[in-house]
Amino acid sequence: MSGPTLMTAQQETELVDQAIAGDRGAFAKLYDAYYDRVYRHVYYRVGRVEDAEDLTQQIFLQAWRGLGRYQQTGSPFHAWLFTIAHNVVVSFYRRAKPASYLEHDLREWRAEGNPEREAEEQWERERVRKAVLRLKPDQQQVITMRFLEHLEHRDIAAALGKSEGNVRVIQHRALQELRRMLEREER
Amino acid sequence: MAPQQLATLLDQCVADITAGRKTLVQCLAEHPDRRADLEPLLRIALCIVPPPVTPDPVRKARARYEFIEALHQEPPATRPWWWPLQSLAHSVPQRRFSMPIIVAVAFAFMVATSGGAAFAAQDAQPGDLLYGLKTAIEQVQVVTASSEEAKAQAHLEIAAKRLAEVEQALEKDNGEAARIAAEGYAQAVAQAQVRIEQAEAQGKPVEAVLERLEANLERQQAALEKAAGKAAAAAQAALEKAGERAQKGLRRASERAPETGAAATADATAQAGGSGEAGSAAAQADASATAEAGVRIEVDLTPIADQVAALAGDAQVSGESYLGLKAKLEAAAAALARGQSQVAVNQLTAFHNQLEALHRAGHISSAQYTELLASYQAVMQVLTAEAQGQGSTQGQAGAQEGRKGEAAAEGKGRTEAGVDVTVPPVTTPELPTGVPPTVTLPGAAPGQDRRPSSPPGQDSSDRGHSGR
C-alpha cells in the first residue's frame, strides 16, 4: 500500500540534504509539499481548525530545529515528520482541558451515494475517530501512520525505531482495542 | 487464527479495497472461514480515513508567510557534533544505544588509547567500527573552519576522502561499503555547494574551492566508470547524483564568471567616510567603485550606516539585531567597492528583509524602522537609477543590437563592467502618517521576492508595532 506522494523519494532526499546543509529555501519546499497532509492529519486528531493550524506550524518549526538529528536510515522524511506531529499532538492533549479535543466533531466527512448512506458513513467514521483518539499514544501513533497516512510498516518501524514485527503487533492490538471500545458503545 | 496471520490478511484486504481492486464483500467472500474475525477489524480500518478538508487558502498563505518569517529567525539546521558517531550505534547489531552512552564510550576509548583510536580510525572503511569516529573527527574540522570558503574546502576534502573510499570498496568488490561512501560523497558535495553559495553571497573569492570541486569531478568520473564496470548500482546512483549537483554548481559559477572578472579588473576604491577606520561599517559606507571604463557607480551609504550605528546606543535594541543589519550593510558596501553591484543589491535586499522582520517582532521602534526604510529605499533608488542610466547608455551605443530601453523595461540595469543588475521588488508597507511616500522601483513585480511582501489577508495595520 503506498500513500499519496507529492514528490518523488529522490526529490525529497535532495531537498532534505539541502535543508540539512542550511538551505531554508529547500525546507520551504518541503513545507509546501507536506503542509496540507500534515494539517489534515492534525485536524483529524484535534478536531478544530485553529488548533490544527497552530500545531501544523509548530510541527514544521520543530522539524527544522531537529533536522540535524533526522536519521536517513530508511525512514522517509515525511514518516519522520509524522512522528513529530504525533509528539506535538500528544503534548497538546496534555495541555488541553481533559479530553476536550473529543468534543469536536468533524463535519467534512462525505460519501458517495444517497444521503441516508452518507449520514450513516459520517456517523461511523466519527465514532471510529473518537475511539482512535482514546487509544494509548503508541497505538494511536501506529494506527494513524498506517491507516491515515498509508505508510508502510517498514517506514513506520524505521521512524519509530522499532522492529516491523513490533509495529504489526501494536497495530493488531490497537485494532482489537478499537473493536472492544466500539462494541461496548453498541451495548 | 494466529494474530500475525489475521494482521497480514487485514493489510492485504485494506490494500485491495483502497486501491479499488476489490470490494469489502469480495474480500470477505474470499475468506469465509475468517470472516468473523476479519470483518469488524476491516470495517474499523476502512473508517480511518483523512478528513476531506483543505486548509483555507487565505489562512494557509498567512501561515506560510509567518512560517517563513519564523524560519529566517531560526539558526540554520546543523548536525549535532556527535552525529557521525551514530554509525557506531548502527554498527552494533540488534542494539540501539542512546547518544550520550556512545559519546561517553567513545571518549573513554579515546582517553584509554591516548589518541591511538583516532589514529587508527584514519584508515577505517565504511562498515568498520571506527568509521563513525573517523567521520566525527572530519566534522570537527568543518566546525572549526573560520570562514564559509574554509568550510567549503573542508567539505570538499571530506568528499575526496569518500571518493577514495568508494574506489577502495570497489577494488574489494564491497558494494555496500561503496554505497555508504558514495552517499557520504554526495552529501559532502551538497554541503560544499551550499557553503560556496554562501561565500559568494558574501563576496568572498571562491575560485580555489571551485577548482577543487572540478578536480573532484574528474576523479569522480573515473570512480563512476569503475562502479559501472562492477555493477555497483547504488554507489553509481549516488555518484551520479553528486556529479549532477557539482556540475550544476560549476555551471552557475561559470555564469557568474563575468561578474567575478569584472570585480578582478575593476579599479575599486573605497573612500572612507564616517569614522574613517577601515573595516568599520562607516568606513565602507561611502564606497565607490570605479571600473576600467571609468564610469562610476557612487552610492552613499553613510546615512544608513549612521542610523544602524545609532541602534547600538539604544539599550532596547538587542545586540544581535543591530549586528545583523550592520553585517549586511558592510557586505553590501564591500561588494560595491569590488564593483559587484548585484551582490550589493542582494545584500541590501537581505538587509530590508531583516529590517521588516525586526519591526514586526517589535525589536525596533516605528520611528527607527521608518528612518531606516526611507534610507534603504533611497540607496536602492540611486543604485537602480545608476545601473539603468548606464544600461540606457549602453543601449544607445548598441542600438543596432536592439537593446535600447530593454534594461529599463525589464527592471534590469547594466553596470559599467557589463554586469546585469536585477533589482528585486521593493515592498512598500504602509507608513505612518506624515512619512514621505515610498518609491516603488521600476521592475518591481509582485511575487518575485523569495518571500511574500505581506501575508495575504493581513491588514498592514497588523504589522506596525510600536515595539515598545
Side-chain angles (χ1 to χ4, degrees):
Chain A
M1 191 187 340
S2 64
T5 48
L6 296 162
M7 59 171 66
T8 64
Q10 193 189 344
Q11 285 171 326
E12 183 181 283
T13 307
E14 281 176 8
L15 286 175
V16 171
D17 283 347
Q18 290 165 25
I20 288 173
D23 185 344
R24 291 180 173 83
F27 192 76
K29 285 181 188 161
L30 291 165
Y31 173 94
D32 290 339
Y34 291 115
Y35 182 88
D36 284 10
R37 196 167 158 191
V38 172
Y39 171 86
R40 266 194 290 273
H41 179 97
V42 175
Y43 181 58
Y44 182 90
R45 297 179 67 178
V46 299
R48 255 168 56 91
V49 168
E50 293 79 8
D51 293 333
E53 286 172 351
D54 287 350
L55 296 179
T56 304
Q57 292 288 80
Q58 279 184 40
I59 289 161
F60 279 102
L61 266 184
Q62 288 201 13
W64 172 257
R65 289 173 189 152
L67 201 56
R69 289 176 171 80
Y70 165 57
Q71 295 181 43
Q72 287 175 305
T73 53
S75 146
F77 171 75
H78 60 274
W80 178 72
L81 202 54
F82 286 114
T83 63
I84 296 175
H86 173 76
N87 293 337
V88 168
V89 167
V90 168
S91 169
F92 169 80
Y93 287 166
R94 285 200 201 104
R95 287 196 314 270
K97 212 167 58 178
S100 59
Y101 52 89
L102 289 172
E103 292 164 10
H104 309 294
D105 286 350
L106 303 192
R107 303 189 183 283
E108 293 83 358
W109 300 117
R110 61 169 182 258
E112 305 279 324
N114 62 47
E116 204 174 307
R117 188 181 156 201
E118 192 173 319
E120 196 180 317
E121 283 193 9
Q122 276 184 22
W123 182 79
E124 192 58 29
R125 283 176 180 174
E126 190 56 31
R127 208 165 71 92
V128 171
R129 188 181 79 90
K130 295 275 173 69
V132 168
L133 300 188
R134 292 199 299 270
L135 286 173
K136 285 193 287 189
D138 64 330
Q139 292 180 337
Q140 203 179 122
Q141 183 170 30
V142 168
I143 284 290
T144 52
M145 286 176 91
R146 178 69 186 142
F147 296 111
L148 214 53
E149 302 307 329
H150 297 289
L151 295 173
E152 300 286 353
H153 285 116
R154 66 165 179 275
D155 292 339
I156 299 173
L160 302 185
K162 296 180 190 292
S163 69
E164 257 189 80
N166 198 349
V167 168
R168 284 179 195 276
V169 168
I170 295 172
Q171 178 190 312
H172 183 72
R173 285 182 185 160
L175 284 172
Q176 294 289 8
E177 179 59 26
L178 286 173
R179 182 183 176 181
R180 274 193 291 276
M181 282 196 266
L182 294 168
E183 283 176 354
R184 266 201 304 271
E185 279 179 14
E186 284 167 8
R187 280 185 211 130
Chain B
M1 189 196 325
Q4 198 76 359
Q5 285 177 307
L6 183 63
T8 308
L9 184 58
L10 179 89
D11 273 334
Q12 276 174 5
C13 290
V14 171
D16 287 340
I17 294 168
T18 49
R21 291 190 291 268
K22 289 176 190 167
T23 64
L24 174 66
V25 176
Q26 284 172 327
C27 273
L28 294 174
E30 283 176 14
H31 307 284
D33 52 328
R34 296 167 183 182
R35 182 173 182 141
D37 286 326
L38 184 62
E39 184 173 1
L41 300 184
L42 196 48
R43 284 189 183 280
I44 290 168
L46 291 172
C47 273
I48 304 170
V49 291
V53 290
T54 44
D56 175 74
V58 174
R59 295 168 73 113
K60 183 179 166 185
R62 184 183 296 184
R64 185 183 194 281
Y65 174 83
E66 287 169 357
F67 176 74
I68 300 296
E69 284 289 312
L71 197 59
H72 279 80
Q73 301 293 325
E74 292 281 330
T78 49
R79 292 280 197 213
W81 66 269
W82 44 258
W83 179 254
L85 291 171
Q86 281 282 21
S87 59
L88 279 176
H90 295 292
S91 308
V92 184
Q94 303 300 317
R95 185 80 173 91
R96 284 175 187 276
F97 295 98
S98 70
M99 194 41 59
I101 293 173
I102 295 163
V103 170
V105 170
F107 184 72
F109 188 57
M110 284 173 70
V111 170
T113 59
S114 305
F119 182 75
Q122 285 178 0
D123 296 326
Q125 294 297 305
D128 292 351
L129 189 65
L130 291 180
Y131 189 66
L133 185 58
K134 177 184 178 178
T135 51
I137 293 166
E138 290 168 356
Q139 289 303 316
V140 172
Q141 288 163 358
V142 175
V143 171
T144 53
S146 57
S147 64
E148 293 296 333
E149 328 72 284
K151 284 182 196 297
Q153 281 283 15
H155 281 303
L156 287 176
E157 274 168 29
I158 292 171
K161 284 180 188 167
R162 291 296 88 80
L163 213 45
E165 288 166 5
V166 172
E167 288 166 345
Q168 283 181 26
L170 289 172
E171 288 291 334
K172 293 176 185 167
D173 285 330
N174 187 343
E176 180 58 13
R179 180 191 65 78
I180 294 171
E183 285 176 2
Y185 172 73
Q187 194 178 4
V189 168
Q191 287 171 330
Q193 205 77 59
V194 171
R195 297 291 182 187
I196 290 170
E197 283 170 14
Q198 285 170 352
E200 280 184 313
Q202 292 171 4
K204 303 276 171 58
V206 291
E207 289 76 11
V209 194
L210 289 171
E211 270 173 31
R212 183 78 189 257
L213 183 63
E214 211 162 357
N216 266 359
L217 255 183
E218 284 167 17
R219 198 168 154 200
Q220 179 203 318
Q221 189 56 36
L224 198 56
E225 282 162 17
K226 203 180 282 182
K230 301 266 181 184
Q236 204 180 335
L239 287 171
E240 277 171 359
K241 180 180 146 194
E244 279 168 24
R245 194 177 168 90
Q247 272 166 350
K248 209 186 286 176
L250 286 170
R251 263 202 307 277
R252 268 192 238 141
S254 69
E255 283 163 14
R256 285 189 297 263
E259 188 172 346
T260 315
T265 54
D267 174 21
T269 54
Q271 295 172 352
S275 68
E277 288 173 17
S280 72
Q284 293 188 358
D286 194 7
S288 63
T290 309
E292 271 186 334
V295 186
R296 295 164 64 90
I297 285 191
E298 282 195 20
V299 183
D300 184 8
L301 297 180
T302 310
I304 196 166
D306 287 346
Q307 286 162 8
V308 170
L311 294 179
D314 187 335
Q316 295 189 59
V317 177
S318 77
E320 254 177 85
S321 313
Y322 153 71
L323 289 173
L325 289 174
K326 180 173 175 276
K328 289 176 181 69
L329 204 54
E330 282 177 354
L336 279 173
R338 288 191 305 272
Q340 292 178 304
S341 315
Q342 186 60 60
V343 175
V345 167
N346 294 344
Q347 288 296 339
L348 286 168
T349 306
F351 175 92
H352 176 232
N353 288 339
Q354 189 178 5
L355 181 63
E356 292 289 336
L358 292 176
H359 177 50
R360 265 192 302 282
H363 290 183
I364 56 173
S365 69
S366 285
Q368 287 167 331
Y369 164 74
T370 306
E371 261 187 17
L372 282 162
L373 182 67
S375 298
Y376 158 76
Q377 287 171 337
V379 167
M380 289 297 267
Q381 193 183 15
V382 172
L383 197 55
T384 316
E386 289 284 346
Q388 283 177 348
Q390 284 155 27
S392 170
T393 310
Q394 286 204 351
Q396 285 161 12
Q400 69 276 22
E401 294 168 25
R403 284 191 50 82
K404 185 177 178 181
E406 265 184 26
E410 292 169 6
K412 283 185 173 184
R414 208 164 169 78
T415 67
E416 66 286 356
V419 180
D420 280 331
V421 177
T422 307
V423 180
V426 177
T427 55
T428 54
E430 212 167 279
L431 291 172
T433 318
V435 172
T438 54
V439 181
T440 305
L441 296 174
Q448 282 182 359
D449 202 346
R450 281 154 69 188
R451 296 186 286 156
S453 57
S454 66
Q458 181 174 342
D459 191 89
S460 57
S461 59
D462 291 348
R463 305 176 56 200
H465 292 270
S466 60
R468 296 158 261 162

